[in-house]
Amino acid sequence: MNIAKMKGGKPLILISNDDGFEAKGIRELVRFLRPLGHLVVMAPDGPRSGMACSITSDRPVVYHQLAEEYGLSVYKCSGTPVDCVKLASSEVLHRQPDLIVGGINHGDNSAINVHYSGTMGVVIEGCLRGIPSVGFSLCNHAADADFSPLEEPVCRIVSCVLQGGLPEGVCLNVNFPLAASFKGIRICRQARGRWVNEWEKRQRPPHGGDYFWLTGNFVGDGAAEEGTDRWALREGYVAVTPISVDMTAHAALDRLKEQIQG
């Protein structure tokens, strides 16, 4: 029986990521959440890190079912993480899911990284659709990262959101420090910072010619400011940052009205 057709009972949870359907992070997330709901997974067919909220508009997008069992259906999609949410909502789910979850990402999505993250693209797309949405990331890029310490806090946060929902237009960006255990959970603001020295010039042998590899260093004082997500991670806490999809700078409206509108 396809769980996308099931009605009643446990909540319906849509899961995607930007590391691809084969990534350990999404497999562990599915394992954690199976007791909490009926799960539909639609994830990219390969890595899509850094895709943010991008969508595919220059080529066809396809999807294929990979697995189906009681309480779980798994699909892969040729598009972006946001494409996965859109396509699952349009073609697979019989109704709006109760929750959308992105992750678990292999790597940190705190501070300004939230703007680049395909994992958070999943979450923002869900929020734009009016669906409670949460993204999870671990500060470890390794393919075989140990996600076991995350199980209890992931299930706790998901259960809280399923029970209490989220404010309209708000989703959650949850980051875990690389640690065997955590001091607790902290609700944080996004740290300030930026990436510098982002491009490394390399030469292509044997005929030469330069090419560039994206790298860079993150600089900022966020880790020194108590209450930011990077401070929480440094101190060993799970950092939960509420993200607003309304990008209006409300504090600047009155000033700009005087300055420009007249």
Side-chain angles (χ1 to χ4, degrees), residues 200-258:
E200 180 180 302
K201 183 185 289 188
R202 300 181 182 180
Q203 195 170 64
R204 184 182 296 108
H207 303 296
D210 293 335
Y211 70 97
F212 297 86
W213 192 263
L214 186 65
T215 173
N217 301 304
F218 181 85
V219 297
D221 56 2
E225 297 182 15
E226 184 171 350
T228 67
D229 49 11
R230 293 186 72 83
W231 171 86
L233 293 172
R234 186 194 69 184
E235 295 298 317
Y237 293 101
V238 179
V240 179
T241 307
I243 302 295
S244 173
V245 296
D246 178 0
M247 298 180 70
T248 305
H250 292 277
L253 285 175
D254 289 340
R255 174 185 169 179
L256 290 173
K257 285 178 181 177
E258 295 179 4

Short mmCIF file of all heavy atoms in Angstrom, two decimals, residues 200-258:
data_model
loop_
_atom_site.label_atom_id
_atom_site.label_comp_id
_atom_site.label_asym_id
_atom_site.label_seq_id
_atom_site.Cartn_x
_atom_site.Cartn_y
_atom_site.Cartn_z
N GLU A 200 39.91 29.24 -5.41
CA GLU A 200 41.30 28.77 -5.50
C GLU A 200 41.63 28.49 -6.96
O GLU A 200 40.97 27.68 -7.62
CB GLU A 200 41.46 27.49 -4.67
CG GLU A 200 42.87 26.92 -4.70
CD GLU A 200 42.97 25.66 -3.87
OE1 GLU A 200 42.68 25.72 -2.66
OE2 GLU A 200 43.35 24.59 -4.43
N LYS A 201 42.64 29.21 -7.47
CA LYS A 201 43.03 29.04 -8.87
C LYS A 201 43.90 27.80 -9.01
O LYS A 201 44.86 27.60 -8.26
CB LYS A 201 43.80 30.27 -9.36
CG LYS A 201 44.16 30.19 -10.84
CD LYS A 201 45.04 31.37 -11.28
CE LYS A 201 44.24 32.66 -11.31
NZ LYS A 201 45.04 33.77 -11.90
N ARG A 202 43.56 26.98 -9.99
CA ARG A 202 44.33 25.76 -10.26
C ARG A 202 44.63 25.71 -11.75
O ARG A 202 44.02 26.41 -12.55
CB ARG A 202 43.56 24.51 -9.82
CG ARG A 202 43.23 24.49 -8.33
CD ARG A 202 42.50 23.23 -7.93
NE ARG A 202 42.14 23.22 -6.52
CZ ARG A 202 41.49 22.23 -5.91
NH1 ARG A 202 41.11 21.16 -6.62
NH2 ARG A 202 41.21 22.29 -4.63
N GLN A 203 45.55 24.83 -12.12
CA GLN A 203 45.92 24.69 -13.52
C GLN A 203 45.61 23.29 -14.00
O GLN A 203 45.86 22.30 -13.30
CB GLN A 203 47.42 25.00 -13.72
CG GLN A 203 47.79 25.23 -15.17
CD GLN A 203 49.20 25.76 -15.32
OE1 GLN A 203 50.16 25.08 -14.97
NE2 GLN A 203 49.34 26.98 -15.82
N ARG A 204 45.06 23.24 -15.20
CA ARG A 204 44.64 21.96 -15.77
C ARG A 204 45.75 21.38 -16.64
O ARG A 204 46.05 21.92 -17.70
CB ARG A 204 43.37 22.15 -16.60
CG ARG A 204 42.79 20.86 -17.17
CD ARG A 204 41.57 21.13 -18.02
NE ARG A 204 40.46 21.68 -17.25
CZ ARG A 204 40.06 22.93 -17.32
NH1 ARG A 204 40.68 23.79 -18.13
NH2 ARG A 204 39.04 23.36 -16.61
N PRO A 205 46.40 20.28 -16.20
CA PRO A 205 47.42 19.64 -17.03
C PRO A 205 46.76 18.84 -18.14
O PRO A 205 45.57 18.50 -18.02
CB PRO A 205 48.16 18.74 -16.05
CG PRO A 205 47.12 18.40 -15.02
CD PRO A 205 46.23 19.61 -14.92
N PRO A 206 47.46 18.46 -19.23
CA PRO A 206 48.88 18.77 -19.46
C PRO A 206 49.09 20.07 -20.25
O PRO A 206 50.20 20.49 -20.44
CB PRO A 206 49.35 17.57 -20.27
CG PRO A 206 48.13 17.21 -21.08
CD PRO A 206 46.94 17.51 -20.21
N HIS A 207 48.01 20.67 -20.74
CA HIS A 207 48.15 21.82 -21.64
C HIS A 207 47.96 23.15 -20.93
O HIS A 207 47.92 24.20 -21.58
CB HIS A 207 47.17 21.69 -22.81
CG HIS A 207 47.33 20.42 -23.58
ND1 HIS A 207 48.47 20.10 -24.29
CD2 HIS A 207 46.48 19.36 -23.74
CE1 HIS A 207 48.32 18.91 -24.86
NE2 HIS A 207 47.12 18.44 -24.54
N GLY A 208 47.80 23.12 -19.65
CA GLY A 208 47.65 24.37 -18.92
C GLY A 208 46.24 24.93 -19.02
O GLY A 208 45.30 24.28 -19.48
N GLY A 209 46.12 26.16 -18.61
CA GLY A 209 44.80 26.80 -18.57
C GLY A 209 44.27 26.79 -17.15
O GLY A 209 44.25 25.76 -16.48
N ASP A 210 43.90 27.93 -16.68
CA ASP A 210 43.44 28.05 -15.30
C ASP A 210 41.98 27.62 -15.15
O ASP A 210 41.17 27.78 -16.06
CB ASP A 210 43.56 29.50 -14.83
CG ASP A 210 45.01 29.95 -14.72
OD1 ASP A 210 45.88 29.08 -14.54
OD2 ASP A 210 45.26 31.17 -14.82
N TYR A 211 41.69 27.05 -14.00
CA TYR A 211 40.31 26.86 -13.60
C TYR A 211 40.22 27.20 -12.11
O TYR A 211 41.24 27.42 -11.45
CB TYR A 211 39.81 25.45 -13.89
CG TYR A 211 40.41 24.35 -13.04
CD1 TYR A 211 39.74 23.88 -11.90
CD2 TYR A 211 41.62 23.77 -13.38
CE1 TYR A 211 40.27 22.87 -11.13
CE2 TYR A 211 42.16 22.75 -12.61
CZ TYR A 211 41.49 22.30 -11.49
OH TYR A 211 42.02 21.30 -10.72
N PHE A 212 39.00 27.27 -11.59
CA PHE A 212 38.81 27.75 -10.23
C PHE A 212 37.96 26.78 -9.43
O PHE A 212 36.97 26.24 -9.94
CB PHE A 212 38.15 29.14 -10.25
CG PHE A 212 39.00 30.17 -10.93
CD1 PHE A 212 38.94 30.34 -12.30
CD2 PHE A 212 39.87 30.95 -10.20
CE1 PHE A 212 39.73 31.28 -12.93
CE2 PHE A 212 40.66 31.89 -10.81
CZ PHE A 212 40.60 32.06 -12.19
N TRP A 213 38.37 26.54 -8.19
CA TRP A 213 37.67 25.63 -7.30
C TRP A 213 37.13 26.43 -6.11
O TRP A 213 37.86 27.15 -5.45
CB TRP A 213 38.63 24.55 -6.80
CG TRP A 213 37.91 23.41 -6.11
CD1 TRP A 213 37.74 23.25 -4.78
CD2 TRP A 213 37.27 22.30 -6.75
NE1 TRP A 213 37.02 22.11 -4.52
CE2 TRP A 213 36.73 21.50 -5.71
CE3 TRP A 213 37.10 21.91 -8.08
CZ2 TRP A 213 36.02 20.32 -5.97
CZ3 TRP A 213 36.41 20.74 -8.32
CH2 TRP A 213 35.88 19.97 -7.30
N LEU A 214 35.83 26.27 -5.85
CA LEU A 214 35.20 27.02 -4.77
C LEU A 214 35.67 26.49 -3.42
O LEU A 214 35.56 25.30 -3.13
CB LEU A 214 33.68 26.92 -4.87
CG LEU A 214 32.88 27.77 -3.88
CD1 LEU A 214 33.12 29.25 -4.13
CD2 LEU A 214 31.40 27.45 -4.00
N THR A 215 36.19 27.36 -2.60
CA THR A 215 36.66 26.99 -1.27
C THR A 215 36.33 28.14 -0.33
O THR A 215 35.19 28.54 -0.22
CB THR A 215 38.16 26.66 -1.30
OG1 THR A 215 38.62 26.45 0.03
CG2 THR A 215 38.99 27.72 -1.97
N GLY A 216 37.28 28.73 0.35
CA GLY A 216 37.03 29.92 1.14
C GLY A 216 37.11 29.70 2.64
O GLY A 216 37.15 28.58 3.14
N ASN A 217 37.12 30.81 3.36
CA ASN A 217 37.15 30.82 4.82
C ASN A 217 36.01 31.69 5.33
O ASN A 217 35.75 32.77 4.80
CB ASN A 217 38.48 31.39 5.32
CG ASN A 217 39.67 30.59 4.82
OD1 ASN A 217 39.75 29.40 5.03
ND2 ASN A 217 40.59 31.27 4.14
N PHE A 218 35.36 31.21 6.37
CA PHE A 218 34.29 31.98 6.98
C PHE A 218 34.88 32.89 8.04
O PHE A 218 35.64 32.46 8.90
CB PHE A 218 33.25 31.06 7.62
CG PHE A 218 32.10 31.80 8.25
CD1 PHE A 218 31.02 32.19 7.49
CD2 PHE A 218 32.10 32.11 9.60
CE1 PHE A 218 29.96 32.88 8.04
CE2 PHE A 218 31.04 32.79 10.18
CZ PHE A 218 29.97 33.18 9.39
N VAL A 219 34.56 34.18 7.97
CA VAL A 219 35.02 35.13 8.97
C VAL A 219 33.81 35.84 9.57
O VAL A 219 32.83 36.13 8.89
CB VAL A 219 36.00 36.17 8.38
CG1 VAL A 219 37.26 35.49 7.88
CG2 VAL A 219 35.36 36.98 7.27
N GLY A 220 33.90 36.12 10.86
CA GLY A 220 32.80 36.80 11.54
C GLY A 220 32.99 36.69 13.03
O GLY A 220 33.77 35.86 13.52
N ASP A 221 32.27 37.49 13.76
CA ASP A 221 32.39 37.49 15.21
C ASP A 221 31.22 36.78 15.88
O ASP A 221 31.04 36.88 17.09
CB ASP A 221 32.50 38.93 15.73
CG ASP A 221 31.33 39.80 15.29
OD1 ASP A 221 30.43 39.28 14.62
OD2 ASP A 221 31.34 40.99 15.63
N GLY A 222 30.45 36.04 15.10
CA GLY A 222 29.25 35.41 15.64
C GLY A 222 29.53 34.45 16.78
O GLY A 222 28.74 34.34 17.72
N ALA A 223 30.65 33.71 16.71
CA ALA A 223 30.95 32.73 17.75
C ALA A 223 31.25 33.40 19.08
O ALA A 223 31.19 32.75 20.13
CB ALA A 223 32.12 31.85 17.31
N ALA A 224 31.59 34.68 19.05
CA ALA A 224 31.90 35.40 20.29
C ALA A 224 30.66 36.01 20.91
O ALA A 224 30.69 36.44 22.07
CB ALA A 224 32.94 36.48 20.02
N GLU A 225 29.56 36.09 20.16
CA GLU A 225 28.34 36.74 20.64
C GLU A 225 27.38 35.71 21.22
O GLU A 225 26.81 34.91 20.50
CB GLU A 225 27.66 37.49 19.50
CG GLU A 225 28.49 38.63 18.93
CD GLU A 225 27.74 39.35 17.83
OE1 GLU A 225 26.51 39.17 17.72
OE2 GLU A 225 28.38 40.10 17.09
N GLU A 226 27.20 35.75 22.52
CA GLU A 226 26.29 34.81 23.16
C GLU A 226 24.88 34.99 22.58
O GLU A 226 24.41 36.10 22.40
CB GLU A 226 26.25 35.03 24.67
CG GLU A 226 25.40 34.03 25.40
CD GLU A 226 25.53 34.11 26.91
OE1 GLU A 226 26.44 34.83 27.37
OE2 GLU A 226 24.72 33.47 27.60
N GLY A 227 24.25 33.89 22.28
CA GLY A 227 22.91 33.92 21.71
C GLY A 227 22.87 33.66 20.23
O GLY A 227 21.79 33.46 19.67
N THR A 228 24.02 33.64 19.54
CA THR A 228 24.03 33.33 18.12
C THR A 228 24.16 31.82 17.91
O THR A 228 24.58 31.07 18.80
CB THR A 228 25.19 34.02 17.40
OG1 THR A 228 26.44 33.46 17.85
CG2 THR A 228 25.18 35.52 17.64
N ASP A 229 23.83 31.39 16.69
CA ASP A 229 23.93 29.96 16.39
C ASP A 229 25.37 29.47 16.46
O ASP A 229 25.64 28.38 16.98
CB ASP A 229 23.27 29.62 15.05
CG ASP A 229 23.69 30.51 13.90
OD1 ASP A 229 24.65 31.29 14.03
OD2 ASP A 229 23.03 30.44 12.84
N ARG A 230 26.32 30.26 15.99
CA ARG A 230 27.71 29.81 16.02
C ARG A 230 28.26 29.77 17.44
O ARG A 230 29.10 28.93 17.77
CB ARG A 230 28.57 30.67 15.10
CG ARG A 230 28.20 30.47 13.62
CD ARG A 230 29.12 31.22 12.70
NE ARG A 230 30.45 30.65 12.61
CZ ARG A 230 30.78 29.62 11.82
NH1 ARG A 230 29.87 29.05 11.07
NH2 ARG A 230 32.01 29.18 11.78
N TRP A 231 27.79 30.68 18.30
CA TRP A 231 28.17 30.62 19.71
C TRP A 231 27.66 29.32 20.33
O TRP A 231 28.40 28.61 21.05
CB TRP A 231 27.61 31.82 20.46
CG TRP A 231 27.77 31.71 21.95
CD1 TRP A 231 28.85 32.08 22.69
CD2 TRP A 231 26.81 31.16 22.87
NE1 TRP A 231 28.62 31.80 24.03
CE2 TRP A 231 27.38 31.23 24.16
CE3 TRP A 231 25.53 30.62 22.73
CZ2 TRP A 231 26.72 30.78 25.30
CZ3 TRP A 231 24.87 30.16 23.86
CH2 TRP A 231 25.45 30.25 25.13
N ALA A 232 26.41 29.00 20.07
CA ALA A 232 25.82 27.78 20.64
C ALA A 232 26.59 26.54 20.20
O ALA A 232 26.88 25.65 21.01
CB ALA A 232 24.35 27.67 20.25
N LEU A 233 26.93 26.47 18.91
CA LEU A 233 27.68 25.33 18.40
C LEU A 233 29.05 25.23 19.06
O LEU A 233 29.50 24.14 19.43
CB LEU A 233 27.81 25.42 16.88
CG LEU A 233 26.51 25.29 16.09
CD1 LEU A 233 26.75 25.61 14.62
CD2 LEU A 233 25.92 23.89 16.24
N ARG A 234 29.71 26.36 19.20
CA ARG A 234 31.03 26.36 19.84
C ARG A 234 30.96 25.87 21.28
O ARG A 234 31.86 25.18 21.78
CB ARG A 234 31.61 27.77 19.81
CG ARG A 234 33.06 27.86 20.32
CD ARG A 234 33.46 29.28 20.59
NE ARG A 234 32.74 29.84 21.74
CZ ARG A 234 32.84 31.10 22.14
NH1 ARG A 234 33.60 31.95 21.48
NH2 ARG A 234 32.17 31.52 23.20
N GLU A 235 29.86 26.21 21.96
CA GLU A 235 29.71 25.84 23.37
C GLU A 235 29.13 24.44 23.56
O GLU A 235 28.94 24.00 24.69
CB GLU A 235 28.82 26.87 24.06
CG GLU A 235 29.41 28.27 24.12
CD GLU A 235 30.70 28.30 24.92
OE1 GLU A 235 30.75 27.67 25.99
OE2 GLU A 235 31.68 28.94 24.45
N GLY A 236 28.83 23.74 22.46
CA GLY A 236 28.35 22.37 22.56
C GLY A 236 26.85 22.20 22.64
O GLY A 236 26.34 21.14 23.02
N TYR A 237 26.10 23.25 22.26
CA TYR A 237 24.64 23.19 22.26
C TYR A 237 24.11 22.92 20.85
O TYR A 237 24.75 23.27 19.85
CB TYR A 237 24.05 24.50 22.75
CG TYR A 237 24.30 24.81 24.20
CD1 TYR A 237 25.30 25.71 24.57
CD2 TYR A 237 23.55 24.22 25.20
CE1 TYR A 237 25.55 26.00 25.91
CE2 TYR A 237 23.78 24.51 26.55
CZ TYR A 237 24.77 25.39 26.89
OH TYR A 237 25.00 25.68 28.22
N VAL A 238 22.91 22.36 20.78
CA VAL A 238 22.17 22.29 19.53
C VAL A 238 21.60 23.68 19.27
O VAL A 238 20.93 24.25 20.14
CB VAL A 238 21.03 21.25 19.61
CG1 VAL A 238 20.25 21.21 18.31
CG2 VAL A 238 21.57 19.88 19.98
N ALA A 239 21.88 24.24 18.10
CA ALA A 239 21.45 25.59 17.76
C ALA A 239 20.18 25.54 16.92
O ALA A 239 20.19 24.99 15.82
CB ALA A 239 22.55 26.33 17.00
N VAL A 240 19.10 26.11 17.44
CA VAL A 240 17.83 26.17 16.72
C VAL A 240 17.55 27.64 16.38
O VAL A 240 17.34 28.46 17.28
CB VAL A 240 16.67 25.60 17.57
CG1 VAL A 240 15.36 25.71 16.80
CG2 VAL A 240 16.95 24.15 17.95
N THR A 241 17.57 27.95 15.09
CA THR A 241 17.38 29.33 14.64
C THR A 241 16.08 29.45 13.87
O THR A 241 15.92 28.81 12.82
CB THR A 241 18.55 29.78 13.75
OG1 THR A 241 19.79 29.55 14.43
CG2 THR A 241 18.43 31.26 13.40
N PRO A 242 15.13 30.24 14.35
CA PRO A 242 13.92 30.48 13.57
C PRO A 242 14.23 31.40 12.39
O PRO A 242 14.88 32.43 12.54
CB PRO A 242 12.97 31.17 14.57
CG PRO A 242 13.86 31.75 15.61
CD PRO A 242 15.10 30.92 15.66
N ILE A 243 13.78 31.00 11.21
CA ILE A 243 14.03 31.72 9.97
C ILE A 243 12.72 32.23 9.40
O ILE A 243 11.74 31.48 9.30
CB ILE A 243 14.71 30.80 8.93
CG1 ILE A 243 16.03 30.24 9.47
CG2 ILE A 243 14.93 31.55 7.62
CD1 ILE A 243 17.10 31.26 9.73
N SER A 244 12.70 33.52 9.03
CA SER A 244 11.50 34.10 8.43
C SER A 244 11.64 34.13 6.92
O SER A 244 12.69 34.51 6.39
CB SER A 244 11.30 35.53 8.95
OG SER A 244 10.24 36.16 8.27
N VAL A 245 10.58 33.73 6.22
CA VAL A 245 10.62 33.78 4.77
C VAL A 245 10.18 35.14 4.23
O VAL A 245 10.29 35.39 3.03
CB VAL A 245 9.77 32.66 4.13
CG1 VAL A 245 10.34 31.29 4.48
CG2 VAL A 245 8.31 32.76 4.55
N ASP A 246 9.66 36.00 5.10
CA ASP A 246 9.38 37.38 4.71
C ASP A 246 10.69 38.15 4.78
O ASP A 246 11.21 38.42 5.86
CB ASP A 246 8.35 37.99 5.66
CG ASP A 246 8.05 39.46 5.33
OD1 ASP A 246 8.64 40.00 4.37
OD2 ASP A 246 7.24 40.06 6.05
N MET A 247 11.25 38.51 3.62
CA MET A 247 12.55 39.16 3.59
C MET A 247 12.47 40.68 3.66
O MET A 247 13.48 41.38 3.52
CB MET A 247 13.31 38.72 2.33
CG MET A 247 13.57 37.22 2.28
SD MET A 247 14.47 36.69 0.80
CE MET A 247 16.08 37.41 1.13
N THR A 248 11.29 41.20 3.90
CA THR A 248 11.14 42.64 4.05
C THR A 248 11.94 43.15 5.25
O THR A 248 11.84 42.59 6.35
CB THR A 248 9.66 43.00 4.28
OG1 THR A 248 8.88 42.46 3.22
CG2 THR A 248 9.47 44.51 4.34
N ALA A 249 12.71 44.19 5.06
CA ALA A 249 13.42 44.84 6.16
C ALA A 249 12.47 45.84 6.81
O ALA A 249 12.48 47.04 6.51
CB ALA A 249 14.68 45.52 5.66
N HIS A 250 11.62 45.35 7.69
CA HIS A 250 10.56 46.18 8.27
C HIS A 250 11.13 47.40 9.00
O HIS A 250 10.53 48.48 8.97
CB HIS A 250 9.70 45.34 9.21
CG HIS A 250 8.89 44.30 8.50
ND1 HIS A 250 7.68 44.58 7.90
CD2 HIS A 250 9.12 42.98 8.27
CE1 HIS A 250 7.19 43.49 7.35
NE2 HIS A 250 8.05 42.49 7.56
N ALA A 251 12.28 47.23 9.65
CA ALA A 251 12.86 48.34 10.41
C ALA A 251 13.31 49.49 9.51
O ALA A 251 13.49 50.62 9.98
CB ALA A 251 14.06 47.84 11.23
N ALA A 252 13.50 49.19 8.21
CA ALA A 252 13.97 50.23 7.29
C ALA A 252 12.85 50.91 6.53
O ALA A 252 13.10 51.88 5.79
CB ALA A 252 14.96 49.61 6.29
N LEU A 253 11.62 50.46 6.69
CA LEU A 253 10.53 50.99 5.87
C LEU A 253 10.33 52.49 6.07
O LEU A 253 10.26 53.25 5.09
CB LEU A 253 9.23 50.24 6.18
CG LEU A 253 9.11 48.82 5.63
CD1 LEU A 253 7.83 48.16 6.12
CD2 LEU A 253 9.14 48.83 4.11
N ASP A 254 10.23 52.93 7.31
CA ASP A 254 9.95 54.35 7.55
C ASP A 254 11.07 55.24 7.04
O ASP A 254 10.82 56.29 6.42
CB ASP A 254 9.73 54.59 9.05
CG ASP A 254 8.42 54.01 9.53
OD1 ASP A 254 7.54 53.76 8.69
OD2 ASP A 254 8.29 53.77 10.75
N ARG A 255 12.31 54.83 7.28
CA ARG A 255 13.45 55.64 6.81
C ARG A 255 13.46 55.75 5.30
O ARG A 255 13.67 56.84 4.74
CB ARG A 255 14.76 55.02 7.30
CG ARG A 255 15.99 55.73 6.72
CD ARG A 255 17.26 55.05 7.12
NE ARG A 255 18.39 55.57 6.36
CZ ARG A 255 19.65 55.15 6.50
NH1 ARG A 255 19.93 54.19 7.38
NH2 ARG A 255 20.61 55.66 5.76
N LEU A 256 13.23 54.64 4.61
CA LEU A 256 13.27 54.65 3.15
C LEU A 256 12.09 55.41 2.55
O LEU A 256 12.21 55.99 1.47
CB LEU A 256 13.34 53.21 2.62
CG LEU A 256 14.67 52.51 2.89
CD1 LEU A 256 14.60 51.06 2.49
CD2 LEU A 256 15.81 53.21 2.12
N LYS A 257 10.95 55.38 3.24
CA LYS A 257 9.82 56.17 2.77
C LYS A 257 10.19 57.68 2.75
O LYS A 257 9.86 58.39 1.82
CB LYS A 257 8.61 55.93 3.66
CG LYS A 257 7.93 54.59 3.42
CD LYS A 257 6.76 54.39 4.37
CE LYS A 257 6.10 53.05 4.16
NZ LYS A 257 5.01 52.82 5.14
N GLU A 258 10.85 58.11 3.81
CA GLU A 258 11.28 59.51 3.87
C GLU A 258 12.39 59.81 2.87
O GLU A 258 12.41 60.86 2.24
CB GLU A 258 11.77 59.84 5.28
CG GLU A 258 10.70 59.79 6.36
CD GLU A 258 11.24 60.11 7.73
OE1 GLU A 258 12.45 60.45 7.82
OE2 GLU A 258 10.49 60.00 8.72
#
